[in-house]
Amino acid sequence: MKEYKLSKDSNETFLVDSDPCKVIESYLESLPSKGEPWIETQNRSGKLTRIYHGVCPYCNNPTFLVGYETRNNNSSVPYMRHYKKSVPLLAEYNETAYRTCILASGNFSSFGDLSKNRKKTDPLSTQILNTVKSQLDRIFYILEQDTSIYFSPNQKIQMLRDYLSASGYNYSSSYINNLPWTFANVLKAKNLYYQRIKANSDVDKVLSLLKNIRLDPIEKTDLKRINSDGQSFINLFCEFRNLKIDKKSGEQSIDFRIYTKTKNSIDEIYKKAIQINLTRFTNLINIKRSDYQQNKWEKMKAKIDDIM
């Protein structure tokens, strides 16, 4: 896996440096102290060997750093692997949790499969549901930054309703680190009529070429509103699909696309492969909202409390 935590109860996540020459230094810099339980010394055939531990952000099992010592041209980049033993003061090994962990290499084939779900009683599903409730504004902030599309407050609440109806929190490929993108992944395509886009973005440039829509600048902002040209109804949709994990690097990605739809055809007009930064969301939710952000959040939270 690409990421690790330093305790079971933390949501702060760190990335494994892909450079084998720098990975140990980077790992050591993430530690609160350079000793147990994160660094374990073992005697292997008379030679003292250090093992560098972390915690899996999905199943909370112990992990250890591999891929930085003996290397050849076919070696993968350094990564964390599940450690199938308990590490005192860090994490106890749970075989059942490991077998269902989507970050275990044996489960990569089902990563991104929308039909695969956790049990409703799984603690991770409860954690995700609570995080959606308390961080929905941050989820949409990241989606807006990645897509240049800014959904209206009412559309955001409707998307939350759709997410709850689909029991998206049970989606087996979803965990805290990739929550914004898996939140969007479980939703059906959304109509973009009257939604806002960032001016001068790639999306703006593509939509400006369509004949049946009008992009109206919004005063005192750098946004435009998608509107009808007055002659026809807009059948313009967006969706997130094709969530993937790279088997070698552990990096995740998802495709975002915009398309037009008629009775006879679906025409893709824009597509973007989004590389998922697996510490971006956890870093964001650990930052206090500004007064302005808190005021906007309180308004959204009041609507969330009515349905959750």
Side-chain angles (χ1 to χ4, degrees):
M1 68 195 70
K2 184 69 175 176
E3 69 271 40
Y4 62 95
K5 303 190 299 181
L6 296 177
S7 73
K8 291 177 62 177
D9 298 328
S10 174
N11 61 21
E12 185 175 13
T13 311
F14 301 89
L15 293 179
V16 177
D17 198 307
S18 58
D19 187 338
C21 297
K22 297 179 180 179
V23 63
I24 298 300
E25 179 183 357
S26 173
Y27 169 81
L28 293 175
E29 288 177 353
S30 73
L31 300 181
S33 63
K34 295 174 177 58
E36 295 182 346
W38 303 283
I39 302 176
E40 179 183 3
T41 302
Q42 292 184 353
N43 190 324
R44 295 182 177 178
S45 302
K47 181 181 179 181
L48 293 180
T49 302
R50 282 187 170 184
I51 301 177
Y52 302 100
H53 287 296
V55 177
C56 174
Y58 191 102
C59 68
N60 274 332
N61 269 313
T63 62
F64 71 111
L65 190 62
V66 298
Y68 63 93
E69 293 177 319
T70 303
R71 299 184 59 79
N72 55 50
N73 292 335
N74 294 321
S75 296
S76 61
V77 297
Y79 64 97
M80 281 282 181
R81 177 186 293 171
H82 288 92
Y83 189 71
K84 298 183 181 181
K85 297 178 184 178
S86 295
V87 178
L89 303 179
L90 183 63
E92 293 183 2
Y93 178 65
N94 183 315
E95 177 70 18
T96 301
Y98 166 72
R99 289 184 178 277
T100 58
C101 180
I102 200 66
L103 299 180
S105 58
N107 294 328
F108 279 2
S109 60
S110 62
F111 190 89
D113 186 341
L114 288 166
S115 69
K116 302 292 184 181
N117 294 292
R118 289 183 294 266
K119 294 180 179 179
K120 295 180 180 179
T121 55
D122 193 301
L124 180 55
S125 293
T126 301
Q127 183 188 13
I128 288 174
L129 187 59
N130 291 335
T131 303
V132 168
K133 184 175 182 179
S134 65
Q135 303 293 335
L136 187 64
D137 58 333
R138 267 74 181 272
I139 289 174
F140 277 108
Y141 172 81
I142 286 179
L143 296 177
E144 289 166 355
Q145 295 298 305
D146 281 355
T147 66
S148 299
I149 293 176
Y150 295 73
F151 292 103
S152 68
N154 288 340
Q155 180 69 293
K156 290 176 181 178
I157 294 302
Q158 184 56 51
M159 291 166 76
L160 173 61
R161 291 181 185 274
D162 294 345
Y163 177 81
L164 296 175
S165 296
S167 300
Y169 44 87
N170 290 326
Y171 179 27
S172 67
S173 295
S174 179
Y175 61 114
I176 301 301
N177 298 49
N178 67 8
L179 182 52
W181 303 274
T182 51
F183 174 93
N185 189 209
V186 303
L187 301 177
K188 294 181 180 179
K190 297 300 173 185
N191 196 309
L192 290 176
Y193 174 68
Y194 219 62
Q195 303 307 311
R196 298 162 297 164
I197 61 170
K198 190 173 183 64
N200 301 316
S201 64
D202 290 342
V203 171
D204 180 19
K205 294 173 184 176
V206 168
L207 296 188
S208 66
L209 300 176
L210 299 182
K211 296 180 179 180
N212 63 330
I213 71 169
R214 190 177 73 241
L215 301 176
D216 298 328
I218 302 174
E219 289 187 6
K220 299 180 181 180
T221 73
D222 60 350
L223 302 177
K224 295 180 179 180
R225 193 179 305 281
I226 302 172
N227 217 327
S228 170
D229 64 357
Q231 303 296 320
S232 58
F233 182 76
I234 296 177
N235 280 307
L236 184 69
F237 297 86
C238 73
E239 64 180 4
F240 289 79
R241 294 293 179 263
N242 198 26
L243 178 69
K244 297 182 293 186
I245 187 168
D246 186 275
K247 293 182 179 180
K248 279 193 173 183
S249 67
E251 294 183 352
Q252 299 176 25
S253 64
I254 192 168
D255 291 338
F256 170 74
R257 73 173 191 142
I258 299 174
Y259 63 90
T260 58
K261 184 178 180 180
T262 65
K263 290 182 179 180
N264 301 319
S265 67
I266 294 178
D267 297 313
E268 182 177 279
I269 61 171
Y270 177 81
K271 186 175 182 180
K272 177 183 179 181
I274 298 172
Q275 297 299 315
I276 297 174
N277 183 327
L278 293 169
T279 61
R280 185 176 168 196
F281 181 63
T282 54
N283 287 341
L284 181 60
I285 65 178
N286 283 315
I287 298 173
K288 184 180 179 181
R289 294 178 177 92
S290 67
D291 291 343
Y292 173 74
Q293 292 168 340
Q294 185 64 32
N295 182 54
K296 289 184 66 177
W297 167 240
E298 291 297 335
K299 294 178 181 179
M300 175 181 277
K301 185 176 182 299
K303 296 181 179 180
I304 294 173
D305 289 342
D306 287 339
I307 60 176
M308 291 185 72

